[in-house]
Amino acid sequence: MSLTHFDAKGDAHMVDVSDKDITSRIAVAEGHIKMQRETFDIITEGRAKKGDVLGVARLAGIMAAKRTADLIPLCHPLPITKVSVDLEPDETLPGIRISATVKTTGQTGVEMEALTAASTAALTVYDMSKAVDKSMEIGGIRVMLKDGGKSGRYEASE
Protein backbone atom coordinates (compact mmCIF):
# COMPACT_ATOMS: atom_id res chain seq x y z
CA MET A 1 0.00 0.00 0.00
CA SER A 2 1.09 3.55 -0.66
CA LEU A 3 -0.25 7.01 -0.01
CA THR A 4 -2.42 7.99 -2.97
CA HIS A 5 -1.94 11.75 -2.77
CA PHE A 6 1.72 11.64 -3.81
CA ASP A 7 3.13 10.96 -7.27
CA ALA A 8 6.21 8.89 -8.11
CA LYS A 9 8.47 11.87 -7.33
CA GLY A 10 6.84 12.39 -3.94
CA ASP A 11 4.98 15.55 -4.94
CA ALA A 12 1.46 16.05 -3.60
CA HIS A 13 -1.29 15.80 -6.23
CA MET A 14 -5.02 15.36 -6.50
CA VAL A 15 -5.92 11.74 -7.19
CA ASP A 16 -7.34 11.15 -10.68
CA VAL A 17 -10.77 9.55 -10.19
CA SER A 18 -11.93 9.92 -13.80
CA ASP A 19 -11.73 6.16 -14.48
CA LYS A 20 -13.62 5.18 -11.34
CA ASP A 21 -17.21 3.98 -11.53
CA ILE A 22 -19.98 6.26 -10.35
CA THR A 23 -21.53 4.56 -7.32
CA SER A 24 -23.60 5.43 -4.28
CA ARG A 25 -21.32 6.44 -1.42
CA ILE A 26 -21.93 7.00 2.28
CA ALA A 27 -19.73 7.87 5.23
CA VAL A 28 -20.47 8.30 8.90
CA ALA A 29 -18.05 10.04 11.25
CA GLU A 30 -18.28 10.60 14.96
CA GLY A 31 -16.68 12.70 17.65
CA HIS A 32 -17.42 14.28 21.00
CA ILE A 33 -16.78 17.33 23.09
CA LYS A 34 -16.28 16.99 26.83
CA MET A 35 -17.05 19.89 29.13
CA GLN A 36 -17.59 20.91 32.72
CA ARG A 37 -20.91 19.83 34.21
CA GLU A 38 -22.03 23.47 34.51
CA THR A 39 -21.43 24.00 30.77
CA PHE A 40 -23.33 20.81 29.94
CA ASP A 41 -26.28 22.03 32.02
CA ILE A 42 -26.26 25.47 30.35
CA ILE A 43 -26.34 23.87 26.88
CA THR A 44 -28.93 21.21 27.60
CA GLU A 45 -31.19 23.60 29.50
CA GLY A 46 -31.03 26.18 26.67
CA ARG A 47 -29.43 28.89 28.81
CA ALA A 48 -26.51 29.78 26.50
CA LYS A 49 -26.28 33.51 25.85
CA LYS A 50 -25.41 32.93 22.19
CA GLY A 51 -28.58 30.90 21.58
CA ASP A 52 -29.34 27.31 20.60
CA VAL A 53 -25.86 25.76 20.78
CA LEU A 54 -26.81 22.37 19.36
CA GLY A 55 -28.97 23.82 16.57
CA VAL A 56 -26.24 26.18 15.43
CA ALA A 57 -23.61 23.40 15.65
CA ARG A 58 -25.81 21.14 13.50
CA LEU A 59 -26.09 23.82 10.81
CA ALA A 60 -22.36 24.54 10.99
CA GLY A 61 -21.58 20.85 10.45
CA ILE A 62 -23.88 20.67 7.44
CA MET A 63 -22.37 23.81 5.94
CA ALA A 64 -18.84 22.53 6.56
CA ALA A 65 -19.52 19.24 4.77
CA LYS A 66 -20.56 21.22 1.70
CA ARG A 67 -17.33 23.28 1.83
CA THR A 68 -14.83 20.47 2.53
CA ALA A 69 -13.04 20.81 -0.82
CA ASP A 70 -12.39 24.48 0.04
CA LEU A 71 -10.69 23.47 3.29
CA ILE A 72 -8.76 20.29 2.46
CA PRO A 73 -6.32 21.05 -0.39
CA LEU A 74 -6.50 17.75 -2.33
CA CYS A 75 -10.13 16.88 -1.63
CA HIS A 76 -12.45 16.64 -4.65
CA PRO A 77 -15.51 18.89 -4.76
CA LEU A 78 -18.52 16.57 -4.68
CA PRO A 79 -22.24 16.81 -5.38
CA ILE A 80 -23.43 15.92 -1.89
CA THR A 81 -26.93 14.46 -1.84
CA LYS A 82 -27.43 14.28 1.95
CA VAL A 83 -25.83 15.59 5.12
CA SER A 84 -27.15 14.99 8.60
CA VAL A 85 -25.49 15.94 11.86
CA ASP A 86 -26.80 14.56 15.14
CA LEU A 87 -25.72 16.01 18.48
CA GLU A 88 -26.66 14.02 21.57
CA PRO A 89 -26.05 15.18 25.12
CA ASP A 90 -24.23 12.53 27.15
CA GLU A 91 -24.20 13.03 30.92
CA THR A 92 -21.46 10.44 31.35
CA LEU A 93 -18.86 12.59 29.53
CA PRO A 94 -20.33 15.13 30.40
CA GLY A 95 -20.62 16.56 26.92
CA ILE A 96 -22.03 16.13 23.46
CA ARG A 97 -21.64 13.12 21.16
CA ILE A 98 -21.68 14.02 17.47
CA SER A 99 -22.46 11.86 14.45
CA ALA A 100 -22.32 13.11 10.85
CA THR A 101 -23.65 11.19 7.84
CA VAL A 102 -22.88 12.23 4.27
CA LYS A 103 -24.09 10.67 1.01
CA THR A 104 -23.31 11.18 -2.65
CA THR A 105 -23.36 9.40 -5.96
CA GLY A 106 -19.98 9.83 -7.52
CA GLN A 107 -16.46 8.62 -8.23
CA THR A 108 -14.93 9.15 -4.79
CA GLY A 109 -16.02 8.78 -1.20
CA VAL A 110 -17.34 11.25 1.34
CA GLU A 111 -15.27 10.36 4.40
CA MET A 112 -13.61 13.77 4.46
CA GLU A 113 -16.97 15.51 4.31
CA ALA A 114 -18.31 13.47 7.24
CA LEU A 115 -15.14 14.09 9.28
CA THR A 116 -15.29 17.81 8.50
CA ALA A 117 -18.96 17.98 9.52
CA ALA A 118 -18.34 16.26 12.86
CA SER A 119 -15.24 18.35 13.58
CA THR A 120 -16.91 21.64 12.72
CA ALA A 121 -19.97 20.83 14.80
CA ALA A 122 -17.69 20.18 17.80
CA LEU A 123 -15.74 23.38 17.14
CA THR A 124 -18.99 25.33 17.00
CA VAL A 125 -20.08 23.96 20.38
CA TYR A 126 -16.71 25.12 21.70
CA ASP A 127 -17.03 28.56 20.12
CA MET A 128 -20.51 29.12 21.47
CA SER A 129 -19.60 27.93 24.99
CA LYS A 130 -16.01 29.10 25.51
CA ALA A 131 -17.10 32.13 27.54
CA VAL A 132 -18.04 29.78 30.39
CA ASP A 133 -15.62 26.88 29.77
CA LYS A 134 -12.29 27.19 28.02
CA SER A 135 -11.25 23.71 29.20
CA MET A 136 -13.59 21.82 26.83
CA GLU A 137 -11.92 18.93 25.02
CA ILE A 138 -12.73 17.75 21.49
CA GLY A 139 -11.87 14.15 20.68
CA GLY A 140 -12.78 10.82 19.18
CA ILE A 141 -13.08 12.16 15.63
CA ARG A 142 -13.10 9.10 13.37
CA VAL A 143 -14.79 7.37 10.46
CA MET A 144 -17.32 4.82 11.70
CA LEU A 145 -18.67 3.70 8.33
CA LYS A 146 -17.66 4.06 4.71
CA ASP A 147 -19.43 2.26 1.91
CA GLY A 148 -19.41 2.39 -1.88
CA GLY A 149 -16.73 2.31 -4.50
CA LYS A 150 -14.00 -0.18 -5.31
CA SER A 151 -12.67 -0.55 -1.77
CA GLY A 152 -16.10 -1.60 -0.51
CA ARG A 153 -17.41 -1.33 3.01
CA TYR A 154 -15.52 -0.32 6.13
CA GLU A 155 -17.00 -0.36 9.60
CA ALA A 156 -15.03 0.70 12.66
CA SER A 157 -14.97 -1.58 15.63
CA GLU A 158 -16.50 -0.06 18.72
Side-chain angles (χ1 to χ4, degrees), residues 78-102:
L78 298 174
I80 293 174
T81 57
K82 175 186 170 72
V83 180
S84 64
V85 178
D86 297 311
L87 295 103
E88 293 295 325
D90 182 343
E91 290 187 17
T92 63
L93 286 173
I96 309 298
R97 294 201 179 273
I98 302 162
S99 177
T101 302
V102 181

Short mmCIF file of all heavy atoms in Angstrom, two decimals, residues 78-102:
data_model
loop_
_atom_site.label_atom_id
_atom_site.label_comp_id
_atom_site.label_asym_id
_atom_site.label_seq_id
_atom_site.Cartn_x
_atom_site.Cartn_y
_atom_site.Cartn_z
N LEU A 78 -17.55 17.63 -4.40
CA LEU A 78 -18.52 16.57 -4.68
C LEU A 78 -19.95 17.09 -4.65
O LEU A 78 -20.27 17.97 -3.85
CB LEU A 78 -18.39 15.45 -3.63
CG LEU A 78 -17.05 14.74 -3.56
CD1 LEU A 78 -17.03 13.77 -2.38
CD2 LEU A 78 -16.79 14.00 -4.86
N PRO A 79 -20.81 16.48 -5.45
CA PRO A 79 -22.24 16.81 -5.38
C PRO A 79 -22.88 16.03 -4.24
O PRO A 79 -23.34 14.90 -4.41
CB PRO A 79 -22.76 16.36 -6.75
CG PRO A 79 -21.86 15.21 -7.12
CD PRO A 79 -20.52 15.54 -6.53
N ILE A 80 -22.89 16.60 -3.06
CA ILE A 80 -23.43 15.92 -1.89
C ILE A 80 -24.94 15.84 -2.01
O ILE A 80 -25.61 16.82 -2.34
CB ILE A 80 -23.02 16.67 -0.61
CG1 ILE A 80 -21.51 16.57 -0.42
CG2 ILE A 80 -23.76 16.14 0.60
CD1 ILE A 80 -20.98 17.39 0.72
N THR A 81 -25.49 14.65 -1.74
CA THR A 81 -26.93 14.46 -1.84
C THR A 81 -27.62 14.45 -0.48
O THR A 81 -28.83 14.60 -0.41
CB THR A 81 -27.25 13.15 -2.58
OG1 THR A 81 -26.63 12.05 -1.90
CG2 THR A 81 -26.75 13.20 -4.02
N LYS A 82 -26.85 14.25 0.60
CA LYS A 82 -27.43 14.28 1.95
C LYS A 82 -26.34 14.56 2.96
O LYS A 82 -25.24 14.02 2.87
CB LYS A 82 -28.09 12.94 2.30
CG LYS A 82 -28.61 12.88 3.73
CD LYS A 82 -29.11 11.50 4.09
CE LYS A 82 -29.42 11.35 5.53
NZ LYS A 82 -30.56 11.98 6.07
N VAL A 83 -26.68 15.39 3.94
CA VAL A 83 -25.83 15.59 5.12
C VAL A 83 -26.75 15.65 6.32
O VAL A 83 -27.73 16.39 6.30
CB VAL A 83 -25.03 16.91 5.07
CG1 VAL A 83 -24.17 17.04 6.34
CG2 VAL A 83 -24.17 17.01 3.84
N SER A 84 -26.45 14.85 7.33
CA SER A 84 -27.15 14.99 8.60
C SER A 84 -26.13 15.00 9.71
O SER A 84 -25.12 14.29 9.65
CB SER A 84 -28.18 13.88 8.80
OG SER A 84 -27.54 12.62 8.90
N VAL A 85 -26.37 15.82 10.71
CA VAL A 85 -25.49 15.94 11.86
C VAL A 85 -26.37 15.81 13.10
O VAL A 85 -27.31 16.58 13.28
CB VAL A 85 -24.73 17.28 11.87
CG1 VAL A 85 -23.85 17.40 13.11
CG2 VAL A 85 -23.90 17.44 10.59
N ASP A 86 -26.05 14.81 13.90
CA ASP A 86 -26.80 14.56 15.14
C ASP A 86 -25.91 14.89 16.33
O ASP A 86 -24.75 14.45 16.39
CB ASP A 86 -27.26 13.11 15.21
CG ASP A 86 -28.22 12.77 14.08
OD1 ASP A 86 -29.18 13.53 13.87
OD2 ASP A 86 -28.00 11.75 13.41
N LEU A 87 -26.44 15.65 17.26
CA LEU A 87 -25.72 16.01 18.48
C LEU A 87 -26.53 15.52 19.67
O LEU A 87 -27.69 15.94 19.84
CB LEU A 87 -25.53 17.53 18.56
CG LEU A 87 -24.64 18.08 17.46
CD1 LEU A 87 -25.44 18.75 16.37
CD2 LEU A 87 -23.62 19.03 18.04
N GLU A 88 -25.95 14.62 20.45
CA GLU A 88 -26.66 14.02 21.57
C GLU A 88 -25.95 14.33 22.87
O GLU A 88 -24.77 13.97 23.04
CB GLU A 88 -26.73 12.49 21.39
CG GLU A 88 -27.59 12.04 20.22
CD GLU A 88 -29.06 12.38 20.40
OE1 GLU A 88 -29.55 12.35 21.55
OE2 GLU A 88 -29.70 12.71 19.39
N PRO A 89 -26.64 14.97 23.79
CA PRO A 89 -26.05 15.18 25.12
C PRO A 89 -25.76 13.84 25.80
O PRO A 89 -26.56 12.91 25.70
CB PRO A 89 -27.13 15.95 25.87
CG PRO A 89 -27.96 16.59 24.80
CD PRO A 89 -27.95 15.61 23.66
N ASP A 90 -24.62 13.74 26.45
CA ASP A 90 -24.23 12.53 27.15
C ASP A 90 -23.73 12.93 28.54
O ASP A 90 -22.64 13.49 28.68
CB ASP A 90 -23.13 11.80 26.37
CG ASP A 90 -22.71 10.49 27.01
OD1 ASP A 90 -23.00 10.26 28.21
OD2 ASP A 90 -22.06 9.69 26.31
N GLU A 91 -24.53 12.65 29.55
CA GLU A 91 -24.20 13.03 30.92
C GLU A 91 -22.94 12.34 31.42
O GLU A 91 -22.28 12.85 32.32
CB GLU A 91 -25.37 12.71 31.85
CG GLU A 91 -26.56 13.60 31.64
CD GLU A 91 -27.64 13.39 32.68
OE1 GLU A 91 -27.36 12.80 33.75
OE2 GLU A 91 -28.77 13.82 32.42
N THR A 92 -22.62 11.18 30.86
CA THR A 92 -21.46 10.44 31.35
C THR A 92 -20.14 11.10 30.96
O THR A 92 -19.11 10.83 31.58
CB THR A 92 -21.46 8.98 30.87
OG1 THR A 92 -21.36 8.95 29.44
CG2 THR A 92 -22.73 8.26 31.32
N LEU A 93 -20.12 11.93 29.91
CA LEU A 93 -18.86 12.59 29.53
C LEU A 93 -18.43 13.63 30.58
O LEU A 93 -17.25 13.62 30.92
CB LEU A 93 -18.98 13.23 28.14
CG LEU A 93 -18.97 12.30 26.94
CD1 LEU A 93 -19.27 13.06 25.66
CD2 LEU A 93 -17.67 11.56 26.82
N PRO A 94 -19.13 14.57 31.04
CA PRO A 94 -20.33 15.13 30.40
C PRO A 94 -19.95 15.89 29.13
O PRO A 94 -18.86 16.44 29.04
CB PRO A 94 -20.88 16.08 31.46
CG PRO A 94 -19.69 16.47 32.27
CD PRO A 94 -18.74 15.31 32.24
N GLY A 95 -20.87 15.87 28.17
CA GLY A 95 -20.62 16.56 26.92
C GLY A 95 -21.60 16.16 25.84
O GLY A 95 -22.69 15.66 26.13
N ILE A 96 -21.18 16.36 24.63
CA ILE A 96 -22.03 16.13 23.46
C ILE A 96 -21.36 15.11 22.54
O ILE A 96 -20.19 15.27 22.18
CB ILE A 96 -22.27 17.45 22.68
CG1 ILE A 96 -22.74 18.58 23.61
CG2 ILE A 96 -23.24 17.22 21.53
CD1 ILE A 96 -24.05 18.35 24.32
N ARG A 97 -22.10 14.09 22.16
CA ARG A 97 -21.64 13.12 21.16
C ARG A 97 -22.18 13.57 19.80
O ARG A 97 -23.34 13.95 19.69
CB ARG A 97 -22.10 11.72 21.49
CG ARG A 97 -21.46 11.21 22.77
CD ARG A 97 -21.48 9.70 22.88
NE ARG A 97 -20.83 9.31 24.11
CZ ARG A 97 -19.54 9.11 24.26
NH1 ARG A 97 -18.74 9.26 23.22
NH2 ARG A 97 -19.03 8.74 25.41
N ILE A 98 -21.33 13.51 18.79
CA ILE A 98 -21.68 14.02 17.47
C ILE A 98 -21.54 12.91 16.44
O ILE A 98 -20.55 12.17 16.45
CB ILE A 98 -20.74 15.19 17.09
CG1 ILE A 98 -20.86 16.30 18.14
CG2 ILE A 98 -21.05 15.71 15.68
CD1 ILE A 98 -19.72 17.29 18.12
N SER A 99 -22.52 12.80 15.56
CA SER A 99 -22.46 11.86 14.45
C SER A 99 -22.86 12.60 13.18
O SER A 99 -23.87 13.31 13.16
CB SER A 99 -23.42 10.69 14.68
OG SER A 99 -23.42 9.81 13.58
N ALA A 100 -22.05 12.44 12.13
CA ALA A 100 -22.32 13.11 10.85
C ALA A 100 -22.40 12.05 9.76
O ALA A 100 -21.51 11.20 9.65
CB ALA A 100 -21.24 14.12 10.53
N THR A 101 -23.45 12.11 8.96
CA THR A 101 -23.65 11.19 7.84
C THR A 101 -23.70 11.99 6.55
O THR A 101 -24.42 12.99 6.47
CB THR A 101 -24.97 10.41 8.00
OG1 THR A 101 -24.94 9.70 9.24
CG2 THR A 101 -25.19 9.44 6.85
N VAL A 102 -22.92 11.54 5.56
CA VAL A 102 -22.88 12.23 4.27
C VAL A 102 -23.05 11.19 3.17
O VAL A 102 -22.46 10.11 3.23
CB VAL A 102 -21.56 13.00 4.06
CG1 VAL A 102 -21.55 13.73 2.72
CG2 VAL A 102 -21.32 13.98 5.21
#
